[in-house]
């Protein structure tokens, strides 16, 4: 394929166990007003009919390609898509979500008109059936164009989700030359978002809620606590050290790290296990150097308790 026929955008769709939601996601992509894109369907060893749905879609949509692989998790599926992408820009869409018709068009024009490395839009939470919630919930960025580093402080703002997630954005492919999602980890977005924004010279934001995040039971973010959920603390620890190494304000990240840790420890106390105790114990040394400035007195006391005592004792094992 010549450079002249390469797609402007590669949309990467990681797929696992979403046969109920995948057709609606694909239909929302087909309805895009922007058409110069390829669709990379990464079937991550899905145990249901998702792989068949992908194959049937690709048979009738020339811009779609299917990659079948053994299960590697969301990070592995995204990384496979990145490696296969041929577009000037990359976008990620979770296969149980929906996008509005102007999603790609809006972000592409923001990047092209402003020579931006990244563009992002607002997010609307929707019900499991795809309908609007009775009380609408939005995560909206501040509209305008900024340096990526200037937006790092927005990671802890009211619209934080719109900045830190992978899937409401369009990225210039050069941002991914050396960056990949951590294989086998949850909270993979938190592990790379700060590095993407740090590397982006210009990021343009639209407050239009063009991405619809489906709230459903059984999703990765809405299941009972298990050791892998502490990967989010690892990601925030990495962000904390990254900020410090690059002379960026790190207090907000330190607070977020402690609060995530304490929340998960509290959840672990409700369903204790040896595996959870081991995961908490492994994090204790790494957290020792993270300041507690900005935490409430109750939070500081809780942090000291979880740091001082053996997790097996605290979990009453």
């Amino acid at each position: 394929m010549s450079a002249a026929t390469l797609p402007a955008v590669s949309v990467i769709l990681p797929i696992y166990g979403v046969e109920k939601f995948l057709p609606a996601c694909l239909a929302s992509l087909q309805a895009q007003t922007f058409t110069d894109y390829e669709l990379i369907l990464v079937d991550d060893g899905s145990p249901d009919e998702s792989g068949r749905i992908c194959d049937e879609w690709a048979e009738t949509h020339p811009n779609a390609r299917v990659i079948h692989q053994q299960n590697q998790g969301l990070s592995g599926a995204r990384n496979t898509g990145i490696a296969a992408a041929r577009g000037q820009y990359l976008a990620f869409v979770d296969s149980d979500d929906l996008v509005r018709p102007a999603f790609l068009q809006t972000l592409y024009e923001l990047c092209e008109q402003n020579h931006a490395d990244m563009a992002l839009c607002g997010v609307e939470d929707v019900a499991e059936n795809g309908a609007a919630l009775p009380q609408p919930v939005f995560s909206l960025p501040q509209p305008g164009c900024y340096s990526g580093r200037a937006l790092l402080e927005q990671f802890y703002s009211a619209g934080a989700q719109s900045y830190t997630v992978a899937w409401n954005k369009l990225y210039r492919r050069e941002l991914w030359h050396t960056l990949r999602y951590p294989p086998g980890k949850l909270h993979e977005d938190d592990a790379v978002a700060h590095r993407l924004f740090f590397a982006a010279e210009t990021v343009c934001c639209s407050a239009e809620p063009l991405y619809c995040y489906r709230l459903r039971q059984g999703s990765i973010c809405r299941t009972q606590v298990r050791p892998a959920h502490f990967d989010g603390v690892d990601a925030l620890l990495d962000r904390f050290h990254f900020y410090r190494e690059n002379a960026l304000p790190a207090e907000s990240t330190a607070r977020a790290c402690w609060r995530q840790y304490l929340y998960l420890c509290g959840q672990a106390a409700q369903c204790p296990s040896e595996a959870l105790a081991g995961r908490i114990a492994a994090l204790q040394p790494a957290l020792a150097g993270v300041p507690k400035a900005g935490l409430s007195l109750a939070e500081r006391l809780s942090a000291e308790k979880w740091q001082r005592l053996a997790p097996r004792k605290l979990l009453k094992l």
Side-chain angles (χ1 to χ4, degrees), residues 118 152 155 163-166 169 171 176 179 181 188-199 239 243:
M118 189 194 310
L152 289 171
F155 281 23
Y163 296 99
T164 58
V165 295
K169 298 175 178 66
Y171 309 86
W176 295 98
L179 189 61
Y181 287 102
E188 60 288 321
D189 295 354
D190 284 334
V192 302
H194 50 287
R195 298 177 185 275
L196 286 165
F197 277 82
F198 188 81
R239 185 183 297 171
Y243 278 27

Side-chain angles (χ1 to χ4, degrees), residues 195-217:
R195 298 177 185 275
L196 286 165
F197 277 82
F198 188 81
E201 185 173 336
T202 303
V203 178
C204 292
C205 306
S206 167
E208 292 184 72
L210 301 174
Y211 193 98
C212 299
Y213 175 70
R214 193 190 300 265
L215 301 174
R216 67 183 184 94
Q217 296 300 316

